[in-house]
Amino acid sequence: MSAGGDLVSRVAALLACAGVEARPASTSTSTGAGAWPHGLAEPPDVAALHAAADGLALPDGTLILPRGEVAQATAWLVEDRSLDWPHDLLVVGEREDLVIVLDLDVEGARAGGGVLEVPTDGLASFQRVARTVVGYLERRLGVAAAEAASPEVRAREAAARRDLPALAGALAEPMYPGAERQTAHAALTLGALLSERGDEAALDAFARSVEARVAAAPRGAAAPERLAAWRACEIAAREAGAEAIAAACAARARRGG
């Protein structure tokens, strides 16, 4: 099946889910009320969704805007809240006290972009949760064989399960800007799991955890944060029974990384 055909079937499966309410697809999609924001390419999955439904509501309260409301909703929010958002961030929906934003990442500067959940009271706190809008909806609806979540979500879930292969796989992908704390925790967990095996690759995982913590530290706090991060790695390795790895972490802490 072609990629386009696959998207059509995935969208049809979404619309067939119990409780999903969809507006009829718009017949005007190039100018005026149905226009996609000027100068930005509409992703294939969003185009497939809009071809089947011009806006929809999920049972959990998730709302996806009609195609023609994306530009005006984005412009209103940016102006009303005086936001310094890149031009390729688009408001595509909402849920409870969250705004659902599609990051097109036209210049490839933000780990490939994706679907972000942004608190209405913290509109600079982006949490990437999915790669595509259709994938986001699949996960919200619990569709079987849903598209994989963003690497940030997968890393968090794998760390909670202490699933080493899944955690390593998620951390191998670029993380979204602002996810440094999540990355630090996930990499620390990976280092601990590798330490349990006596695998010296744990030091690489611990080093990534340290650098992520330092990147998230306030200005002027890098040195104490680096020390604290290496101490945390030392403790994790020692608790895993890997004394040699713990000693290496302690040595890096003493020399400042």
mmCIF file of all heavy atoms in Angstrom, residues 41-64:
data_model
loop_
_atom_site.group_PDB
_atom_site.id
_atom_site.type_symbol
_atom_site.label_atom_id
_atom_site.label_comp_id
_atom_site.label_asym_id
_atom_site.label_seq_id
_atom_site.Cartn_x
_atom_site.Cartn_y
_atom_site.Cartn_z
ATOM 1 N N ALA A 41 4.142 24.371 3.998
ATOM 2 C CA ALA A 41 3.608 23.156 3.390
ATOM 3 C C ALA A 41 2.762 22.390 4.401
ATOM 4 O O ALA A 41 3.157 22.233 5.567
ATOM 5 C CB ALA A 41 4.751 22.275 2.895
ATOM 6 N N GLU A 42 1.606 21.927 3.971
ATOM 7 C CA GLU A 42 0.745 21.130 4.839
ATOM 8 C C GLU A 42 1.277 19.693 4.875
ATOM 9 O O GLU A 42 1.426 19.063 3.828
ATOM 10 C CB GLU A 42 -0.687 21.144 4.300
ATOM 11 C CG GLU A 42 -1.692 20.456 5.213
ATOM 12 C CD GLU A 42 -3.118 20.593 4.706
ATOM 13 O OE1 GLU A 42 -3.301 20.820 3.495
ATOM 14 O OE2 GLU A 42 -4.039 20.478 5.524
ATOM 15 N N PRO A 43 1.590 19.154 6.051
ATOM 16 C CA PRO A 43 2.107 17.785 6.129
ATOM 17 C C PRO A 43 1.120 16.776 5.531
ATOM 18 O O PRO A 43 -0.095 16.978 5.612
ATOM 19 C CB PRO A 43 2.283 17.554 7.636
ATOM 20 C CG PRO A 43 2.411 18.924 8.211
ATOM 21 C CD PRO A 43 1.516 19.791 7.378
ATOM 22 N N PRO A 44 1.610 15.689 4.949
ATOM 23 C CA PRO A 44 0.728 14.715 4.318
ATOM 24 C C PRO A 44 -0.344 14.162 5.243
ATOM 25 O O PRO A 44 -1.488 13.959 4.829
ATOM 26 C CB PRO A 44 1.688 13.608 3.852
ATOM 27 C CG PRO A 44 2.997 14.301 3.677
ATOM 28 C CD PRO A 44 3.038 15.352 4.739
ATOM 29 N N ASP A 45 0.009 13.911 6.505
ATOM 30 C CA ASP A 45 -0.985 13.339 7.416
ATOM 31 C C ASP A 45 -2.084 14.347 7.738
ATOM 32 O O ASP A 45 -3.262 13.992 7.846
ATOM 33 C CB ASP A 45 -0.331 12.831 8.703
ATOM 34 C CG ASP A 45 0.132 13.959 9.607
ATOM 35 O OD1 ASP A 45 1.008 14.733 9.165
ATOM 36 O OD2 ASP A 45 -0.390 14.076 10.736
ATOM 37 N N VAL A 46 -1.723 15.634 7.843
ATOM 38 C CA VAL A 46 -2.714 16.671 8.119
ATOM 39 C C VAL A 46 -3.611 16.861 6.896
ATOM 40 O O VAL A 46 -4.831 17.026 7.033
ATOM 41 C CB VAL A 46 -2.026 17.993 8.511
ATOM 42 C CG1 VAL A 46 -3.056 19.091 8.744
ATOM 43 C CG2 VAL A 46 -1.179 17.798 9.767
ATOM 44 N N ALA A 47 -3.009 16.811 5.715
ATOM 45 C CA ALA A 47 -3.803 16.929 4.495
ATOM 46 C C ALA A 47 -4.799 15.784 4.381
ATOM 47 O O ALA A 47 -5.962 15.981 4.007
ATOM 48 C CB ALA A 47 -2.883 16.955 3.277
ATOM 49 N N ALA A 48 -4.368 14.563 4.724
ATOM 50 C CA ALA A 48 -5.270 13.410 4.674
ATOM 51 C C ALA A 48 -6.392 13.560 5.690
ATOM 52 O O ALA A 48 -7.552 13.214 5.417
ATOM 53 C CB ALA A 48 -4.489 12.127 4.930
ATOM 54 N N LEU A 49 -6.064 14.093 6.862
ATOM 55 C CA LEU A 49 -7.076 14.303 7.897
ATOM 56 C C LEU A 49 -8.102 15.341 7.441
ATOM 57 O O LEU A 49 -9.317 15.139 7.568
ATOM 58 C CB LEU A 49 -6.404 14.746 9.195
ATOM 59 C CG LEU A 49 -7.299 14.924 10.418
ATOM 60 C CD1 LEU A 49 -7.938 13.605 10.819
ATOM 61 C CD2 LEU A 49 -6.501 15.506 11.584
ATOM 62 N N HIS A 50 -7.614 16.442 6.874
ATOM 63 C CA HIS A 50 -8.524 17.496 6.428
ATOM 64 C C HIS A 50 -9.341 17.080 5.208
ATOM 65 O O HIS A 50 -10.429 17.614 4.977
ATOM 66 C CB HIS A 50 -7.738 18.770 6.123
ATOM 67 C CG HIS A 50 -7.287 19.492 7.346
ATOM 68 N ND1 HIS A 50 -6.105 20.204 7.415
ATOM 69 C CD2 HIS A 50 -7.857 19.617 8.569
ATOM 70 C CE1 HIS A 50 -5.988 20.733 8.619
ATOM 71 N NE2 HIS A 50 -7.029 20.392 9.337
ATOM 72 N N ALA A 51 -8.822 16.152 4.445
ATOM 73 C CA ALA A 51 -9.586 15.669 3.297
ATOM 74 C C ALA A 51 -10.799 14.860 3.743
ATOM 75 O O ALA A 51 -11.784 14.747 3.015
ATOM 76 C CB ALA A 51 -8.690 14.816 2.397
ATOM 77 N N ALA A 52 -10.712 14.311 4.954
ATOM 78 C CA ALA A 52 -11.809 13.482 5.462
ATOM 79 C C ALA A 52 -12.681 14.206 6.471
ATOM 80 O O ALA A 52 -13.869 13.886 6.615
ATOM 81 C CB ALA A 52 -11.242 12.215 6.105
ATOM 82 N N ALA A 53 -12.118 15.190 7.170
ATOM 83 C CA ALA A 53 -12.877 15.893 8.208
ATOM 84 C C ALA A 53 -12.268 17.257 8.442
ATOM 85 O O ALA A 53 -11.046 17.385 8.560
ATOM 86 C CB ALA A 53 -12.849 15.096 9.507
ATOM 87 N N ASP A 54 -13.099 18.277 8.488
ATOM 88 C CA ASP A 54 -12.609 19.629 8.718
ATOM 89 C C ASP A 54 -12.792 19.990 10.185
ATOM 90 O O ASP A 54 -13.665 20.775 10.557
ATOM 91 C CB ASP A 54 -13.346 20.614 7.817
ATOM 92 C CG ASP A 54 -12.609 21.946 7.736
ATOM 93 O OD1 ASP A 54 -11.367 21.936 7.833
ATOM 94 O OD2 ASP A 54 -13.272 22.981 7.571
ATOM 95 N N GLY A 55 -11.950 19.388 11.009
ATOM 96 C CA GLY A 55 -12.060 19.573 12.450
ATOM 97 C C GLY A 55 -12.753 18.384 13.094
ATOM 98 O O GLY A 55 -13.648 17.791 12.493
ATOM 99 N N LEU A 56 -12.304 18.011 14.278
ATOM 100 C CA LEU A 56 -12.948 16.905 14.977
ATOM 101 C C LEU A 56 -12.767 17.025 16.480
ATOM 102 O O LEU A 56 -11.905 17.765 16.966
ATOM 103 C CB LEU A 56 -12.433 15.556 14.487
ATOM 104 C CG LEU A 56 -11.001 15.135 14.793
ATOM 105 C CD1 LEU A 56 -10.868 13.619 14.649
ATOM 106 C CD2 LEU A 56 -10.025 15.780 13.834
ATOM 107 N N ALA A 57 -13.612 16.285 17.209
ATOM 108 C CA ALA A 57 -13.586 16.259 18.673
ATOM 109 C C ALA A 57 -13.486 14.813 19.127
ATOM 110 O O ALA A 57 -14.186 13.941 18.605
ATOM 111 C CB ALA A 57 -14.845 16.904 19.236
ATOM 112 N N LEU A 58 -12.617 14.559 20.110
ATOM 113 C CA LEU A 58 -12.451 13.235 20.674
ATOM 114 C C LEU A 58 -13.210 13.128 21.989
ATOM 115 O O LEU A 58 -13.488 14.146 22.637
ATOM 116 C CB LEU A 58 -10.969 12.947 20.919
ATOM 117 C CG LEU A 58 -10.159 12.372 19.740
ATOM 118 C CD1 LEU A 58 -10.264 13.236 18.506
ATOM 119 C CD2 LEU A 58 -8.698 12.158 20.149
ATOM 120 N N PRO A 59 -13.517 11.919 22.419
ATOM 121 C CA PRO A 59 -14.264 11.747 23.672
ATOM 122 C C PRO A 59 -13.557 12.333 24.894
ATOM 123 O O PRO A 59 -14.208 12.701 25.874
ATOM 124 C CB PRO A 59 -14.412 10.231 23.794
ATOM 125 C CG PRO A 59 -14.296 9.713 22.413
ATOM 126 C CD PRO A 59 -13.324 10.629 21.721
ATOM 127 N N ASP A 60 -12.219 12.420 24.858
ATOM 128 C CA ASP A 60 -11.485 12.937 26.022
ATOM 129 C C ASP A 60 -11.404 14.461 26.034
ATOM 130 O O ASP A 60 -10.728 15.044 26.883
ATOM 131 C CB ASP A 60 -10.074 12.334 26.070
ATOM 132 C CG ASP A 60 -9.194 12.786 24.912
ATOM 133 O OD1 ASP A 60 -9.680 13.526 24.031
ATOM 134 O OD2 ASP A 60 -8.006 12.393 24.878
ATOM 135 N N GLY A 61 -12.100 15.115 25.095
ATOM 136 C CA GLY A 61 -12.098 16.571 25.054
ATOM 137 C C GLY A 61 -11.088 17.181 24.108
ATOM 138 O O GLY A 61 -11.047 18.409 23.953
ATOM 139 N N THR A 62 -10.271 16.351 23.473
ATOM 140 C CA THR A 62 -9.315 16.862 22.490
ATOM 141 C C THR A 62 -10.065 17.421 21.284
ATOM 142 O O THR A 62 -10.940 16.762 20.731
ATOM 143 C CB THR A 62 -8.370 15.740 22.019
ATOM 144 O OG1 THR A 62 -7.620 15.258 23.140
ATOM 145 C CG2 THR A 62 -7.403 16.249 20.954
ATOM 146 N N LEU A 63 -9.719 18.637 20.881
ATOM 147 C CA LEU A 63 -10.325 19.279 19.717
ATOM 148 C C LEU A 63 -9.245 19.579 18.691
ATOM 149 O O LEU A 63 -8.185 20.126 19.036
ATOM 150 C CB LEU A 63 -11.018 20.583 20.110
ATOM 151 C CG LEU A 63 -12.161 20.496 21.124
ATOM 152 C CD1 LEU A 63 -12.653 21.886 21.483
ATOM 153 C CD2 LEU A 63 -13.305 19.643 20.580
ATOM 154 N N ILE A 64 -9.497 19.222 17.433
ATOM 155 C CA ILE A 64 -8.615 19.581 16.336
ATOM 156 C C ILE A 64 -9.342 20.613 15.484
ATOM 157 O O ILE A 64 -10.480 20.397 15.063
ATOM 158 C CB ILE A 64 -8.242 18.344 15.496
ATOM 159 C CG1 ILE A 64 -7.481 17.323 16.354
ATOM 160 C CG2 ILE A 64 -7.406 18.752 14.283
ATOM 161 C CD1 ILE A 64 -6.168 17.829 16.927
#
